[in-house]
Amino acid sequence: LAKTTQPISMDSYEGQEVNITCSHNNIATNDYITWYQQFPSQGPRFIIQGYKTKVTNEVASLFIPADRKSSTLSLPRVSLSDTAVYYCLVGDMSTGGFKTIFGAGTRLFVKA
Amino acid sequence: GAVVSQHPSWVICKSGTSVKIECRSLDFQATTMFWYRQFPKQSLMLMATSNEGSKATYEQGVEKDKFLINHASLTLSTLTVTSAHPEDSSFYICSARPQGNIQYFGAGTRLSVL
């Protein structure tokens, strides 16, 4: 399983763009990069997933360089409600027996 | 996206009693489901992999006789915390994967053992 490294915490202000980078040097060829968001006392919520280059959806963008050894989750114009823990996960989840192992995540705190 | 339902969302029980938590995939079939435990300010810790029609696979350090898992159908897995004690108080979360690479999580169950 590819190990991931993220900053423990980040602070931001409302309206700013937030970029959270995840390092995954041992990513395998079949691995995807998936980001989840978790609010207190709730289960994680899927945000975005990518394999290479750039992926964008209605809530975030995911930038993956050519070597795929890192990825950056970009949240445009954050609001107070984006205060949460963000987890970067790497793996080939299409394999039936694949186990998702969570790292420590990044605790984002958005201030007014 | 796919929906995973977890019930109950919160349960309080006396020490020594057993508690059952249900995890259902509402709009897809799941041959495999996962159970996690999360303590305050910590990340999710994988407890076990629940396999439909067969025994669950437990992670190292997780007592299989303490945390009974039953995956009786393609849409339902249950976790029973037997003879619960205060140290079992935690937030329990289940998840499942439809076909593909995205895992969906239940809302979690807060267990408080008095």
Side-chain angles (χ1 to χ4, degrees):
Chain A
L1 296 174
K3 178 176 165 49
T4 60
T5 303
Q6 304 174 232
I8 294 296
S9 65
M10 294 180 69
D11 287 346
S12 182
Y13 289 93
E14 280 190 295
Q16 289 189 333
E17 178 185 77
V18 171
N19 295 309
I20 306 174
T21 297
C22 179
S23 173
H24 30 80
N25 291 318
N26 296 323
I27 189 168
T29 303
N30 294 332
D31 287 348
Y32 280 75
I33 301 157
T34 311
W35 286 80
Y36 288 87
Q37 175 193 55
Q38 187 184 26
F39 297 112
S41 297
Q42 293 187 29
R45 183 177 74 102
F46 170 80
I47 301 175
I48 198 167
Q49 184 181 77
Y51 183 79
K52 62 180 179 180
T53 63
K54 177 184 174 183
V55 180
T56 297
N57 62 21
E58 61 276 10
V59 297
S61 294
L62 178 59
F63 298 92
I64 306 168
D67 65 5
R68 305 202 323 126
K69 293 183 183 297
S70 67
S71 58
T72 299
L73 173 72
S74 181
L75 304 172
R77 296 198 302 279
V78 295
S79 62
L80 296 176
S81 62
D82 292 316
T83 294
V85 179
Y86 293 82
Y87 295 98
C88 162
L89 299 165
V90 173
D92 180 6
M93 299 187 192
S94 64
T95 304
F98 177 81
K99 300 185 294 186
T100 302
I101 305 297
F102 281 77
T106 297
R107 194 170 296 272
L108 173 65
F109 186 69
V110 180
K111 296 178 272 190
Chain B
V3 179
V4 175
S5 174
Q6 197 171 333
H7 178 80
S9 58
W10 186 37
V11 58
I12 301 174
C13 69
K14 292 182 179 180
S15 187
T17 61
S18 294
V19 173
K20 180 183 286 187
I21 303 169
E22 291 187 348
C23 180
R24 295 181 184 273
S25 55
L26 297 187
D27 49 3
F28 65 97
Q29 294 184 332
T31 55
T32 304
M33 291 184 174
F34 302 90
W35 288 95
Y36 295 82
R37 180 167 54 180
Q38 187 176 34
F39 292 107
K41 304 290 188 184
Q42 294 186 24
S43 184
L44 286 76
M45 184 189 76
L46 180 65
M47 298 175 66
T49 302
S50 174
N51 305 298
E52 188 268 334
S54 65
K55 291 183 179 180
T57 305
Y58 291 83
E59 295 300 301
Q60 191 172 10
V62 177
E63 301 174 59
K64 61 181 180 181
D65 295 330
K66 172 74 159 175
F67 301 99
L68 300 179
I69 292 173
N70 184 13
H71 196 149
S73 76
L74 288 171
T75 60
L76 173 65
S77 174
T78 61
L79 169 68
T80 301
V81 183
T82 62
S83 186
H85 289 96
E87 58 265 30
D88 298 322
S89 297
S90 189
F91 191 56
Y92 294 87
I93 308 169
C94 70
S95 72
R97 281 197 301 266
Q99 285 190 347
N101 258 299
I102 299 174
Q103 191 161 336
Y104 293 90
F105 291 82
T109 297
R110 173 77 55 196
L111 171 63
S112 297
V113 184
L114 304 178

